[in-house]
């Protein structure tokens, strides 16, 4: 989670929502790939940290299936990312802060509990949750302007 938090801080430094993700091989402890939010800079609405990390891992391993690997992410995955996690066959998801507004694992659609979900990873939430949440809160607090209502992806607080 510390590596994911570092990636989240890098995203914040680029003006992106501070979310970081790491794909790890639990058998060896190897960090296979690291990702950080980059939808603004890459002009790609799908460039969430989880997607970026899984794409890099799949490229590195030469396989779109990431069976048995662990995805560590600083924020509860959204529905898009949960779907990609399922399609990639990630074995375990470890996340930091819960996301009551946009999360889809323990909030919202609870994606992995749906009967249409064909692959369900083990899920562990709350790892370094307060540190992850504070990084997000601090980022949005610094960007907020009292006279302007912020767009959710550009300044709305997900926590």
């Amino acid at each position: 989670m510390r590596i994911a938090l570092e990636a989240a801080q890098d995203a914040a430094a680029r003006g992106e929502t501070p979310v970081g993700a790491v794909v790890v091989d639990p058998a060896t402890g190897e960090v296979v790939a690291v990702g950080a939010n980059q939808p603004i800079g890459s002009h790609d609405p799908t460039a969430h940290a989880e997607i970026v990390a899984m794409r890099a891992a799949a490229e590195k391993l030469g396989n779109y299936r990431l069976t048995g690997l662990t995805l560590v992410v600083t924020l509860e995955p959204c529905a898009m990312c949960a779907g990609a996690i399922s399609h990639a066959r990630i074995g375990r998801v470890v996340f930091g802060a819960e996301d009551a507004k946009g999360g889809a694992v323990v909030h919202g659609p609870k994606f992995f509990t749906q009967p249409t979900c064909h692959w369900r990873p083990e899920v562990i939430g709350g790892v370094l949750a307060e540190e992850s949440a504070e990084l997000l809160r601090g980022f949005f607090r610094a960007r907020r302007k009292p006279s302007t209502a912020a767009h959710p992806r550009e300044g709305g607080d997900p926590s």
Side-chain angles (χ1 to χ4, degrees), residues 2-159:
R2 291 277 175 219
I3 295 169
L5 282 164
E6 288 174 20
Q9 290 168 343
D10 291 345
R14 292 189 319 276
E16 302 276 1
T17 301
V19 179
V22 181
V23 176
V24 178
D25 183 342
T28 64
E30 174 193 5
V31 172
V32 178
V34 178
N37 263 12
Q38 56 186 24
I40 298 167
S42 66
H43 310 291
D44 179 358
T46 69
H48 289 194
E50 301 94 311
I51 303 289
V52 171
M54 288 188 295
R55 282 180 181 156
E59 181 70 27
K60 180 176 181 177
L61 298 174
N63 193 341
Y64 74 107
R65 297 282 194 224
L66 303 175
T67 308
L69 299 181
T70 298
L71 176 70
V72 179
V73 59
T74 58
L75 183 65
E76 176 184 352
C78 69
M80 175 185 69
C81 292
I85 289 164
S86 180
H87 282 284
R89 306 293 198 270
I90 290 284
R92 176 182 298 136
V93 174
V94 177
F95 70 86
E98 290 186 7
D99 185 353
K101 292 180 184 176
V105 176
V106 298
H107 293 93
K110 299 179 183 173
F111 187 89
F112 300 127
T113 66
Q114 298 304 312
T116 54
C117 178
H118 57 274
W119 180 266
R120 294 170 179 84
E122 174 187 359
V123 175
I124 301 167
V127 176
L128 296 179
E130 187 52 38
E131 194 168 334
S132 296
E134 185 50 42
L135 181 59
L136 286 156
R137 282 191 295 266
F139 176 80
F140 289 117
R141 197 171 25 248
R143 292 175 57 98
R144 225 177 254 125
K145 294 183 190 237
S147 62
T148 309
H151 184 278
R153 296 304 294 180
E154 297 175 10
D157 190 345
S159 56

